[in-house]
């Protein structure tokens, strides 16, 4: 268990992952009952999660700048903090894409994809809650593997969803727009995986 002075770093990362989960769950909510007339309100709510996550990243940076000793390399803590923040940024970019392309209807694949992204975020959060025990990494390693598998499911979802676009839409603009939306969703899963890779790297360096 981390010393009291070190808990801030692990609690900060865990709290940041919670905002990523809130953003992902909100994305699922928006897509499941989508109303294009409410897109600006959706963006405002989503930006609230992104802004809060940014605040935690800045808190981490400030603490690292002041610290004399950190529980793991400060560069690793900074990298994980940035990568967790990237997850929330990527989720926000999905909604921004819907607004930019003026999409009025949501495909069933997009809802399924959003749910898979939310699952990645939940696994990331569980992993970061366990991160404090990085010197006893058995459970942590299992969570990294689960997160990697969840990201692979998103890769497959991206391919399958993209292949269906030609059957679902006649308009080239719709096809191009949705291909980009699916790409943005895949970026969310990739960002979660990057957090797992960083955590795995820290475990290898410290065991």
């Amino acid at each position: 268990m981390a010393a009291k002075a070190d808990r801030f770093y692990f609690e900060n990362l865990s709290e940041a992952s919670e905002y990523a989960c809130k953003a992902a769950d909100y994305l699922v909510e928006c897509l499941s009952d989508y109303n294009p007339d409410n897109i600006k309100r959706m963006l405002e709510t989503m930006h609230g999660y992104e802004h809060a996550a940014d605040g935690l990243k800045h808190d981490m940076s400030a603490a690292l700048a002041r610290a004399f000793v950190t529980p793991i390399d400060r560069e690793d803590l900074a990298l994980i903090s940035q990568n967790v923040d990237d997850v929330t940024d990527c989720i926000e970019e999905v909604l921004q894409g819907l607004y930019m392309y003026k999409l009025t209807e949501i495909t069933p694949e997009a809802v399924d994809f959003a749910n898979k992204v939310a699952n990645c975020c939940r696994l990331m959060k569980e992993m970061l809650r366990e991160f404090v025990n990085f010197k006893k990494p058995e459970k942590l390693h299992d969570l990294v593997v689960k997160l990697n598998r969840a990201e692979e499911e998103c890769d497959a979802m991206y391919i399958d969803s993209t292949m269906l676009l030609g059957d679902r839409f006649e308009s080239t603009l719709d096809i191009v727009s949705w291909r980009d939306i699916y790409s943005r969703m895949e970026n969310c899963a990739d960002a979660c995986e990057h957090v797992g890779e960083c955590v795995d790297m820290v475990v290898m360096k410290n065991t």
Side-chain angles (χ1 to χ4, degrees):
M1 183 62 64
K4 184 176 181 180
D6 293 338
R7 289 177 191 165
F8 163 81
Y9 303 103
F10 301 103
E11 290 172 356
N12 177 281
L13 293 173
S14 181
E15 189 176 353
S17 69
E18 179 66 33
Y19 278 112
C21 285
K22 288 179 179 180
D25 289 341
Y26 186 63
L27 180 64
V28 172
E29 179 185 333
C30 291
L31 297 186
S32 298
D33 188 23
Y34 188 69
N35 183 345
D37 293 337
N38 295 333
I39 186 63
K40 288 188 177 181
R41 177 184 58 78
M42 295 177 198
L43 286 169
E44 289 175 359
T45 300
M46 183 66 81
H47 187 68
Y49 297 134
E50 189 276 335
H51 182 71
D54 266 350
L56 289 168
K57 182 186 68 173
H58 295 318
D59 290 345
M60 174 68 82
S61 297
L64 290 173
R66 294 191 304 266
F68 181 67
V69 178
T70 56
I72 60 178
D73 288 348
R74 71 184 65 228
E75 293 83 3
D76 292 335
L77 284 167
L79 181 60
I80 296 172
S81 178
Q82 178 61 60
N83 285 346
V84 176
D85 185 65
D86 287 345
V87 176
T88 312
D89 289 344
C90 287
I91 295 169
E92 183 181 32
E93 287 172 4
V94 176
L95 268 189
Q96 289 172 342
L98 296 177
Y99 175 68
M100 287 166 51
Y101 294 123
K102 299 180 180 180
L103 298 175
T104 58
E105 296 183 2
I106 302 300
T107 66
E109 293 79 24
V111 178
D112 291 344
F113 209 154
N115 275 295
K116 289 184 180 298
V117 167
N119 182 51
C120 286
C121 289
R122 285 190 291 270
L123 287 169
M124 179 186 69
K125 180 177 73 172
E126 187 178 357
M127 178 188 67
L128 288 174
R129 284 181 173 175
E130 180 64 22
F131 188 36
V132 67
N133 300 313
F134 67 93
K135 291 186 178 179
K136 297 179 179 179
E138 291 80 8
K139 182 177 179 181
L140 191 57
H141 177 71
D142 289 343
L143 290 167
V144 170
V145 171
K146 287 180 180 179
L147 178 54
N148 181 261
R149 289 174 179 165
E151 189 277 334
E152 289 175 353
E153 290 182 9
C154 288
D155 285 344
M157 187 76 200
Y158 171 74
I159 294 170
D160 293 343
S161 300
T162 302
M163 289 180 65
L164 289 172
L165 288 174
D167 297 329
R168 190 171 292 283
F169 298 106
E170 295 182 0
S171 165
T172 300
L173 179 59
D174 285 336
I175 292 172
V176 170
S177 298
W178 273 107
R179 183 181 292 125
D180 184 58
I181 295 298
Y182 294 152
S183 179
R184 290 172 187 236
M185 288 183 162
E186 186 185 28
N187 289 343
C188 298
D190 288 345
C192 289
E193 185 183 39
H194 291 160
V195 177
E197 290 169 348
C198 289
V199 167
D200 205 29
M201 176 187 65
V202 168
V203 169
M204 287 189 292
K205 288 170 65 175
N206 290 274
T207 55

